[in-house]
Amino acid sequence: MFDVCVSVTLCVKPTFDMLAVNVTVTEMETAILPCSVKFLGTHQVVWTDQSSTLLTHKDRRILDDERLSIERPFTKDWNLHIRKVRHSDQGVYNCQVNTVPVIIKTINLIVEVPSKIIEHLSSEDLVVRENDKVTLVCNVTGVPVPEVTWYRHVETKKGKEKHSEFCQGTDQVGVNGEVLIIHNITRYCGDTYECVAFNGVPPAVSHHIKVAVEFAPEIYLPNRRIGQDVGKETILECTVAAFPQAVSMWTRNKEKISSLSQKYRLEIYDEGQNTITLSLRMFSIERHDYGTYTCVASNTLGEDTETMILYEYSAHIKTTSTTTRRPTTPRIVFQRPIVNPPSTSIGIFPPKPGRGHNSRPYDPYTPDLWRPKQSGQGYPTPRKNAGLPIARVPAS
């Protein structure tokens, strides 16, 4: 009976639960390479790496790498643990049993690396001029290769908002990629740009690049004419957009108006997006204060000026109200009176119809046109083209 059991035992060979396994793990985590052997008997288990280097023998570590160990949660298990796994540990590992021939279980270790931005190879904050070509670089690494998406942070009244769209009227190349190229950049594109890299392995990483666009000053006047009465106060305002910020002032007769005067007070309001409002408050206006005022702004790229007129409001209203209007021509409407038919006894001799260029059909209801007799002349003849009969009065 004993011999039979021995012969049966010797006939059973070691086997693996499966011959090939893929193991995926994130860098710096612990990689567990499974190896379960049935019917091992007196055979031995060893681990080798992708370069056929012997790593372990039985449950002992051969290499001087404290990250490696053999863990046996069950008797048949000979699992290889690699703590704080690196991307360089990626490759094919073999769990071998020294049978004849040797049986091997292959484990393909895949080490995923989260996205990482290489700061010293990526773009830093930039200062460019309007209409320049701008190239932004976001150098990233990771396994698998990360996908890079660009965003633009826009300052609004509610705060900063994140947009995937870029400036209107500006062309951009490579919105998805490590390089973003902006052609003909405008002042409205001077914002913070963010590149976000993600390869499916948390966490996603990002890099911010602030782009400042320089441009010459531009002045906008809400009003070019403003009226006020003598003795009252008024405010002149101009809006200045510029970067770098312009030196802004109000002038009168080419002389700078100082805020140290008791008559004037200059106030500056920050409107955001490189824009300010320069306000000139004038106290107790006098007649000689009326005239032209100029808002001036200049920086290293240029200068701009706009003028405003301050006039006396009451005098303007009085002049407007006393201006005479051109009289309109009255419309004269002639109404044809109805009269009795004229009698021939008073000497009415109408022109005969159809004769001469002055003749027309006689209308007995048309009033006659009478002209007095002139001295030395006979009775007047009908006016040319009058087309109306003439009343002839007998001589006395």
Side-chain angles (χ1 to χ4, degrees), residues 39-53:
F39 312 116
L40 181 60
T42 58
H43 295 91
Q44 300 175 1
V45 177
V46 297
W47 278 93
T48 60
D49 62 11
Q50 56 270 17
S51 58
S52 299
T53 302

Side-chain angles (χ1 to χ4, degrees), residues 26-132:
T26 303
E27 189 179 37
M28 299 309 294
E29 294 182 354
T30 299
I32 300 176
L33 280 57
C35 184
S36 180
V37 184
K38 296 180 180 179
F39 312 116
L40 181 60
T42 58
H43 295 91
Q44 300 175 1
V45 177
V46 297
W47 278 93
T48 60
D49 62 11
Q50 56 270 17
S51 58
S52 299
T53 302
L54 185 63
L55 302 178
T56 65
H57 177 252
K58 295 184 178 180
D59 58 356
R60 292 177 298 170
R61 183 180 70 246
I62 302 301
L63 289 181
D64 187 18
D65 190 345
E66 296 180 353
R67 299 180 304 132
L68 304 178
S69 66
I70 297 295
E71 303 293 337
R72 302 188 61 190
F74 300 99
T75 304
K76 62 180 180 178
D77 293 335
W78 299 83
N79 299 335
L80 175 65
H81 284 218
I82 307 176
R83 288 175 293 276
K84 296 182 179 179
V85 66
R86 308 186 188 109
H87 182 255
S88 58
D89 296 327
Q90 179 173 285
V92 177
Y93 291 78
N94 296 319
C95 178
Q96 304 180 17
V97 178
N98 60 341
T99 58
V100 180
V102 175
I103 60 174
I104 299 175
K105 178 179 181 178
T106 302
I107 293 89
N108 182 25
L109 177 61
I110 302 172
V111 180
E112 294 183 336
V113 181
S115 304
K116 183 180 179 180
I117 295 177
I118 305 176
E119 298 288 344
H120 68 278
L121 296 179
S122 300
S123 298
E124 299 179 348
D125 294 347
L126 300 175
V127 178
V128 299
R129 290 194 176 184
E130 200 167 30
N131 298 320
D132 281 354

Side-chain angles (χ1 to χ4, degrees), residues 256-266 280-283:
K256 178 181 177 181
I257 297 177
S258 174
S259 60
L260 300 178
S261 172
Q262 296 182 354
K263 188 176 189 61
Y264 304 102
R265 187 172 70 190
L266 290 173
L280 175 64
R281 183 183 297 270
M282 304 174 59
F283 303 98

